[in-house]
Amino acid sequence: MRETGPGQRALRTPRAAGLAGVVFALLLAAAIVLVRLGIPEGADTVAPHGFTDSAQRRAVRTALALVPFAGIFFLWFIGVIRAHVGAGEDKFVATVFLGSGLVFTATLFGAAAAASAVLVVAHPAGASPPPATWDFGRHLAYTLLTEYAMRMAAVFVSSMSIIGHRLGVLPRWLTVLGLLTAVTLLFLSSNVPWAELVFPAWSLLLSVHILVAGRRDGPRPAVA
């Protein structure tokens, strides 16, 4: 079998990695936007005014339908990258990379489950849910998303940037952008509305880079 160095192997990450990352980024961005629109956050939305609006409920239902598929493509994205980094990965950083990705996925699913509770809570048809129930579900969903999931995303982004830098497979601008994304998610996601969208934006840029780099590298020759 033809041997390759760790950097070369990582550079030849299969097309599946880039495609999975693109799909994940688009699905996650769409889910975040729909949840933000369907379940508003802020002091002026303490009472669930308007949540009986069918458009809001459809937005939340659509977001909840997208989240599981976003998680699946994210796990696929992690798997194919780790498989093709192979022996070249730093075990410590790779463990942090994998662990943060798994915790992010689990916490994202938890946030989706909390958002779904706002929809299915028992209340008379055509009426708004009780304010206490609304507040609990809304705050739990946003806490899981912005306080925990996005901080795990920050760890994931920073570890991926470190791996890419050490192997020399990410350009300097993408490494720097990754670190800035991690700082944003770590310190601003819980205080600045919509800041969590920087994670799918970074994921999209990384995935496009993987696809472009793979195309430049050309098809892999057959190996014995």
Side-chain angles (χ1 to χ4, degrees), residues 10-11 39 45 54-55 57 78 99 103 112 117 133 141 169 193 207:
L11 182 61
I39 307 179
T45 59
S54 59
R57 299 177 71 86
I78 294 174
V103 175
T133 302
V169 297
S207 301

Side-chain angles (χ1 to χ4, degrees), residues 144-164:
L144 287 172
L145 177 65
T146 62
E147 294 277 354
Y148 296 98
M150 287 303 124
R151 284 183 167 88
M152 285 299 98
V155 177
F156 177 84
V157 172
S158 59
S159 58
M160 180 66 214
S161 299
I162 291 171
I163 291 173

Side-chain angles (χ1 to χ4, degrees), residues 27-218:
L27 289 176
L28 180 61
I32 290 174
V33 170
L34 290 170
V35 167
R36 283 274 180 191
L37 295 176
I39 307 179
E41 182 186 30
D44 58 339
T45 59
V46 173
H49 298 306
F51 192 63
T52 54
D53 186 288
S54 59
Q56 282 185 298
R57 299 177 71 86
R58 274 198 307 272
V60 177
R61 287 196 180 96
T62 303
L64 296 178
L66 294 178
V67 167
F69 294 100
I72 291 169
F73 280 102
F74 183 64
L75 292 177
W76 182 270
F77 179 64
I78 294 174
V80 291
I81 285 183
R82 290 197 71 239
H84 287 266
V85 169
E89 68 181 8
D90 180 288
K91 299 303 180 184
F92 173 78
V93 179
T95 300
V96 175
F97 171 76
L98 176 61
S100 60
L102 295 177
V103 175
F104 165 78
T105 305
T107 312
L108 179 66
F109 286 173
S116 71
V118 178
L119 281 179
V120 302
V121 64
H123 59 278
S128 297
T133 302
W134 164 269
D135 284 340
F136 177 78
R138 181 170 58 88
H139 286 302
L140 179 59
Y142 275 112
T143 297
L144 287 172
L145 177 65
T146 62
E147 294 277 354
Y148 296 98
M150 287 303 124
R151 284 183 167 88
M152 285 299 98
V155 177
F156 177 84
V157 172
S158 59
S159 58
M160 180 66 214
S161 299
I162 291 171
I163 291 173
H165 174 71
R166 288 184 176 178
L167 294 179
V169 297
L170 291 183
R172 182 181 297 273
W173 68 267
L174 191 52
T175 301
V176 173
L177 183 62
L179 296 177
L180 292 176
T181 299
V183 170
T184 300
L185 294 171
L186 195 60
F187 296 106
L188 298 181
S189 62
S190 60
N191 301 314
V192 180
W194 303 92
E196 60 272 12
L197 285 174
V198 300
F199 181 47
W202 172 85
S203 301
L204 183 61
L205 285 175
L206 175 64
S207 301
V208 170
H209 170 74
I210 290 174
L211 289 172
V212 172
R215 180 171 297 179
R216 282 202 308 264
D217 195 47

